[in-house]
Amino acid sequence: MPSESVDAPYSNVRALFDQSENSGPPSDVEAEAAVLGAMMLRAEAITDVTKILGPEDYYRPAHETIHRAILALNEEGRPVDPITLTHHLDRLGELRRVGGPGYVQSLVQAVPTTAHAAYYAEIVHELAERRRLIEAGTRLVQAASAPDASAAEVREALALSDEKRPDTWQEPIPLNTRPTLPPFPLHTFPGWLRAFTAGIAEETQTPVDMAGSLALSVLATAAGGRCVVQVRGRWHEPTNLYVVVALPPANRKSAVFAAMTGPLYEAEKLLAEEMAGRIVEADLTRKMAQEAADKAAARAAAAEGPERDSFVAEAIGLAQQAEGLTVPARPRLLADDSTPETVTSLMAEQGGRLAVMSAEGGIFDIIAGRYSGTPNMEVFLKGHAGDRLRVDRRSREESIESPALTMGLAVQPTVLEDIGKHRGFDGRGLLARFLYSMPESLVGYRDSDPDPVPDAVAARYERNITALTLSLADWTDPAVLQLSLAADKALKSYQEELEIQLRPKGGKLGHLQKWAGKLVGAIARIAGLLHLAAHLHDGYGKPIDDATMLAAIKIGEYFADHALNVFDLMGADAAQSRARTLLEVLAANGWETVSRRDLFAKLSRSEFPTVADLEPAVALLEEHGYLRTHTPPRNGKRGRPPAPRYLVHPRVREGLA
């Protein structure tokens, strides 16, 4: 009878860490995980471990990144645990790259006992040394065996073999990998708004992001120009917003637009009906005054002698009186893809308030100069900020003291790609004024028999939006919404965290400073809108509380995550574009190692004007595992130190990256 394999009873058991990697270079990922987990569980373990190994000793690049993050927290005197480490990695933009919060937590679960942290570290360090010895021998043999190798090149290989550096290559992280974006945080909405937004998304089988983003535009249309948020001191934020949702065709954008904006058209109709009598009366009064002025002018023209002066004076007085009479414009809340000149005129007529809402992206073509041939974005820049707008024309002069323009758009992703190429949009700051949403399309996964929005939910939404719009329509001086002390504290705390992310080096939003620099202001605006939606009848008489501010911050963080993806699509990150160029050059030349000088010589001066322009792209390729920078040690005491060289991933050399 054949003997049964000892391993048979455990053949279906799967290890927490896949050890198949150990068929390659010497490594022990379980020991690496235990080291990192112990450092999170016991502060003393950090000291014990750092005496034995360094970040470069890890086989997995993710483990090296986590180790460095632990050391950074420890050096700052901050506690090290899965929560603080996850938050720190997220701020650095490294969390997804190392495996996410779940992977960080799994490292703690992989620790048999923290008392053996030093022993685990010795295992990791010993295996790292073995890998270095293997690499050193291989490199020396390859260099000496090359037929055309010079003695200097062999000595350089020997110098490289003495350098302490990681040798094994992991699978590189693709540059074009886009992270999974968060869904719209619908729980931040008041109940009546949340119910309708979720309901219309279900009924139309569209991402809730579209209805949620447009809901903010609808609130901004109702309140824009009539309310401002006093952040602190003289810092006031108006409550108008620019929001754009990017979705491919066939996503029923028009249906969602019609449902979300319907109450605004109803409010516009009611305002027009209410104003109709006053318009007729004012128009008749102006016509009668003009007729009287014309008759007086005719009498003055026909008069002679002493009576002429009195008739002239009377005619001038009546003309001035007629000139001073104005006919109110028919109320308008919404415009479509209008020209900048039309938008300016409508805003002037409507006391500064207007919304451009469209299920298409044609407005960007109009701004770029589809009809005029030259870009005209002044009204869209000042209309967002609330800066005084004055336009002098041949026929008349238009002046708007505090413009409040709202935009709610749904466009195809290709539209965002195109506007990203328009230098004026970015240079003048128009792109930085939009809040971007780019959800996943549901086409191909839609329910053919979805639940409709309950009638009561729809009626409540329509009633509340209409009431909010009408209640603020007659305000001339805007209502000032104050922040409670707790809300102000929450906003300041977020502002401090955001400031770190704006740093050019290492900041998650460092390459989006124009956009992210306006994020705190946008959050204050959103907080004001959520406050009004929660207090429909007396919101202007109450301060914004901390719960509302935290909800607005959550929405702001949602837009920040989506902005990173959108601006990448628009090519805002120059380092990304240049890194792709570097990959192409490295693959074309098949280098194993290359000096910075030789690499720079192969690059276009239009894309890489100076060596300094090379560094951010190289750093990005290093982060993604395509390159390693190495500085060989000196061979002697004299002369200049050896220049740094770049070690190239084998997949790049083989054209597989």
Side-chain angles (χ1 to χ4, degrees):
M1 180 176 178
S3 61
E4 184 180 17
S5 170
V6 175
D7 294 332
Y10 305 99
S11 60
N12 62 343
V13 178
R14 186 174 181 180
L16 176 63
F17 295 97
D18 186 1
Q19 292 297 320
S20 61
E21 294 178 67
N22 289 338
S23 60
S27 63
D28 190 331
V29 292
E30 280 191 342
E32 292 183 6
V35 169
L36 297 172
M39 294 169 76
M40 281 187 271
L41 290 173
R42 189 167 63 92
E44 293 79 2
I46 298 176
T47 303
D48 296 341
V49 167
T50 52
K51 292 178 180 177
I52 300 169
L53 62 80
E56 69 278 2
D57 287 335
Y58 290 93
Y59 179 67
R60 282 191 172 176
H63 291 169
E64 177 181 347
T65 300
I66 294 170
H67 186 107
R68 293 185 188 279
I70 291 174
L71 295 183
L73 286 174
N74 187 58
E75 288 173 1
E76 293 173 7
R78 298 164 62 186
V80 178
D81 56 51
I83 295 175
T84 59
L85 183 60
T86 297
H87 183 67
H88 181 69
L89 288 167
D90 187 38
R91 283 169 52 193
L92 296 175
E94 298 281 2
L95 184 58
R96 290 191 179 95
R97 196 166 74 88
V98 302
Y103 187 74
V104 174
Q105 186 65 42
S106 73
L107 296 175
V108 174
Q109 299 169 355
V111 183
T113 172
T114 60
H116 295 167
Y119 178 70
Y120 307 143
E122 289 176 356
I123 295 174
V124 174
H125 178 70
E126 177 65 25
L127 292 172
E129 288 296 315
R130 287 175 57 189
R131 292 196 301 272
R132 292 186 188 104
L133 289 172
I134 292 172
E135 173 67 14
T138 302
R139 181 173 296 278
L140 187 57
V141 170
Q142 289 176 342
S145 301
D148 56 346
S150 66
E153 289 173 333
V154 175
R155 284 194 296 271
E156 181 180 329
L158 181 61
L160 283 170
S161 70
D162 292 335
E163 181 71 5
K164 181 181 180 181
R165 59 180 182 81
D167 61 311
T168 53
W169 293 95
Q170 297 297 296
E171 191 72 15
I173 302 170
L175 284 172
N176 58 355
T177 298
R178 289 188 179 131
T180 301
L181 296 174
F184 190 91
L186 201 57
H187 65 277
T188 58
F189 280 0
W192 65 270
L193 185 59
R194 179 171 64 249
F196 182 76
T197 304
I200 200 63
E202 166 65 21
E203 180 180 297
T204 58
Q205 289 294 286
T206 54
V208 72
D209 308 61
M210 178 158 57
S213 298
L214 291 177
L216 292 174
S217 296
V218 170
L219 290 176
T221 302
R226 302 299 186 264
C227 287
V228 298
V229 177
Q230 183 179 8
V231 182
R232 62 187 70 103
R234 291 186 175 85
W235 181 6
H236 290 72
E237 287 288 344
T239 48
N240 55 304
L241 293 174
Y242 287 7
V243 180
V244 58
V245 183
L247 275 169
N251 270 278
R252 299 169 180 166
K253 296 188 286 290
S254 296
V256 177
F257 255 88
M260 299 304 297
T261 60
L264 293 176
Y265 285 101
E266 180 62 26
E268 186 179 86
K269 179 181 176 181
L270 293 174
L271 288 172
E273 291 174 353
E274 181 184 339
M275 183 66 70
R278 294 165 57 185
I279 292 174
V280 171
E281 181 181 351
D283 186 50
L284 181 60
T285 301
R286 186 185 61 80
K287 287 179 179 179
M288 293 174 61
Q290 187 62 52
E291 288 177 2
D294 292 341
K295 290 179 180 179
R299 287 196 302 270
E304 295 181 358
E307 293 182 344
R308 180 182 177 85
D309 291 341
S310 62
F311 282 138
V312 170
E314 180 186 4
I316 291 174
L318 290 173
Q320 290 176 339
Q321 183 180 353
E323 184 70 21
L325 296 174
T326 59
V327 179
R330 184 178 183 276
R332 286 282 300 271
L333 295 174
L334 299 159
D336 205 327
D337 291 345
S338 304
T339 65
E341 293 77 16
T342 302
V343 170
T344 303
S345 296
L346 286 173
M347 289 178 66
E349 292 175 354
Q350 302 302 321
R353 176 173 69 168
L354 190 70
V356 176
M357 306 282 279
S358 175
E360 302 294 339
I363 187 66
F364 290 114
D365 290 335
I366 295 173
I367 297 172
R370 176 201 292 172
Y371 301 118
S372 63
T374 57
N376 185 353
M377 60 187 76
E378 198 71 17
V379 64
F380 299 99
L381 297 176
K382 293 186 175 181
H384 179 274
D387 296 335
R388 182 182 292 108
L389 178 63
R390 179 169 295 173
V391 179
D392 295 318
R393 297 179 179 172
R394 292 181 179 179
S395 58
R396 59 176 173 168
E397 176 184 301
E398 293 175 333
S399 180
I400 309 173
E401 291 300 313
S402 300
L405 180 63
T406 288
M407 297 183 74
L409 309 172
V411 303
Q412 296 182 25
T414 53
V415 173
L416 296 182
E417 289 187 69
D418 292 339
I419 65 175
K421 299 172 185 175
H422 196 291
R423 289 190 175 184
F425 284 3
D426 183 42
R428 295 289 303 279
L430 181 63
L431 298 182
R433 284 163 165 77
F434 279 92
L435 299 174
Y436 298 93
S437 172
M438 196 172 182
E440 288 288 333
S441 171
L442 298 184
V443 175
Y445 301 91
R446 295 178 291 193
D447 186 353
S448 60
D449 187 25
D451 295 329
V453 179
D455 291 341
V457 171
R460 189 181 183 193
Y461 171 76
E462 294 169 4
R463 183 172 63 251
N464 288 347
I465 292 297
T466 303
L468 179 63
T469 306
L470 297 178
S471 68
L472 294 170
D474 293 332
W475 285 70
T476 52
D477 294 330
V480 179
L481 304 179
Q482 308 283 344
L483 301 185
S484 68
L485 292 177
D488 181 53
K489 182 179 179 181
L491 187 60
K492 285 181 179 176
S493 177
Y494 177 75
Q495 189 174 2
E496 291 172 358
E497 292 184 12
L498 179 65
E499 195 65 23
I500 298 174
Q501 299 181 42
L502 296 179
R503 293 173 181 173
K505 293 185 178 180
K508 177 182 177 182
L509 300 169
H511 63 292
L512 299 182
Q513 288 184 347
K514 289 181 182 178
W515 184 89
K518 298 180 183 295
L519 184 54
V520 172
I523 287 172
R525 297 183 184 205
I526 294 171
L529 296 175
L530 295 180
H531 175 77
L532 291 172
H535 306 280
L536 291 166
H537 304 293
D538 58 353
Y540 46 82
K542 297 180 178 180
I544 299 172
D545 60 28
D546 58 331
T548 301
M549 183 58 71
L550 291 173
I553 290 172
K554 190 69 177 176
I555 295 175
E557 291 177 332
Y558 161 85
F559 283 123
D561 285 335
H562 282 249
L564 283 167
N565 199 41
V566 169
F567 277 99
D568 181 38
L569 179 69
M570 293 191 292
D573 192 351
Q576 280 272 356
S577 175
R578 289 171 175 168
R580 294 188 183 99
T581 299
L582 282 187
L583 272 184
E584 294 173 1
V585 172
L586 292 169
N589 287 274
W591 290 309
E592 181 179 354
T593 72
V594 60
S595 68
R596 181 167 55 186
R597 181 183 62 185
D598 291 342
L599 176 58
F600 185 66
K602 293 286 186 179
L603 300 171
S604 167
R605 293 291 83 81
S606 61
E607 190 171 6
F608 295 89
T610 67
V611 174
D613 298 308
L614 180 65
E615 297 307 317
V618 167
L620 189 60
L621 290 182
E622 284 193 278
E623 290 175 5
H624 285 252
Y626 291 99
L627 287 182
R628 292 173 183 160
T629 301
H630 174 72
T631 303
R634 287 177 180 266
N635 281 334
K637 297 182 179 180
R638 297 182 178 181
R640 292 184 299 176
R645 297 185 66 84
Y646 302 127
L647 310 182
V648 186
H649 195 292
R651 290 184 65 85
V652 177
R653 302 198 304 270
E654 296 161 9
L656 301 176

